[in-house]
Amino acid sequence: MSHTAAMRLALAQAAAAGERGEVPVGAVVLDPLGEVLAEAGNDREASADPTAHAEVLALRLAARRLGRWRLTGCTLVVTLEPCTMCAGAAVLARVATIVYGAADEKGGAAGSLWDVVRDRRLNHRPEVVMGVLAEESSAILKEFFGTRRIR
Ligand SMILES: [Zn+2]
């Protein structure tokens, strides 16, 4: 599956999250062959869990499906640039590639505010592909925050 096709699935997860009243962010994990391993949307409100970001949930699901915590060769696809926690989780999971849509100038940790994933001091540094369906990824967030003023 291409990065763009995977991002469309992530966007569907983001939209579903938005409909549940969650900040609309979605994530997909692809296995080394490019097949979908896991999909998740932000679930912070429903689970009352500050760590229930789409990326963390998708990484957990992918690891459970593989039966191992190392997601070597896998790709994390997410609609919004990962925060420090999610960027850290992706590094710990040893994903090969992180693909994201919209940049997050206020809190992004994959190139915008920080670059947690490509810090030269780390042994494992995922490749980063940014800007895949960035406009759609950004629009869904803008629409959400335009209609509600909760953060
Ligand atoms: Zn996060």
Side-chain angles (χ1 to χ4, degrees), residues 25 50-56 81-87:
V25 177
T51 71
H53 287 189
E55 300 97 308
V56 166
E81 181 179 356
C83 70
T84 47
M85 173 183 72
C86 294

Side-chain angles (χ1 to χ4, degrees), residues 18-138:
E19 279 165 25
R20 297 192 305 266
E22 306 281 350
V23 173
V25 177
V28 169
V29 176
L30 301 177
D31 74 9
L33 299 174
E35 302 292 328
V36 176
L37 256 182
E39 299 173 66
N42 184 22
D43 195 47
R44 219 167 29 167
E45 304 295 339
S47 57
D49 178 357
T51 71
H53 287 189
E55 300 97 308
V56 166
L57 298 176
L59 290 169
R60 280 187 187 145
L61 203 55
R64 213 174 300 139
R65 285 194 67 183
L66 289 177
R68 54 182 162 84
W69 62 266
R70 273 192 197 83
L71 300 180
T72 313
C74 292
T75 298
L76 172 66
V77 180
V78 56
T79 57
L80 179 67
E81 181 179 356
C83 70
T84 47
M85 173 183 72
C86 294
V91 170
L92 291 175
R94 313 277 200 271
V95 302
T97 309
I98 297 171
V99 178
Y100 67 82
D104 182 1
E105 302 296 336
K106 287 183 191 158
S112 288
L113 191 54
W114 296 283
D115 201 343
V116 167
V117 296
R118 287 171 296 188
D119 190 310
R120 289 177 171 277
R121 293 166 294 188
L122 294 175
N123 284 328
H124 178 77
R125 295 193 295 269
E127 187 190 335
V128 176
V129 179
M130 59 183 84
V132 176
L133 298 181
E135 282 189 16
E136 289 92 326
S137 301
S138 171

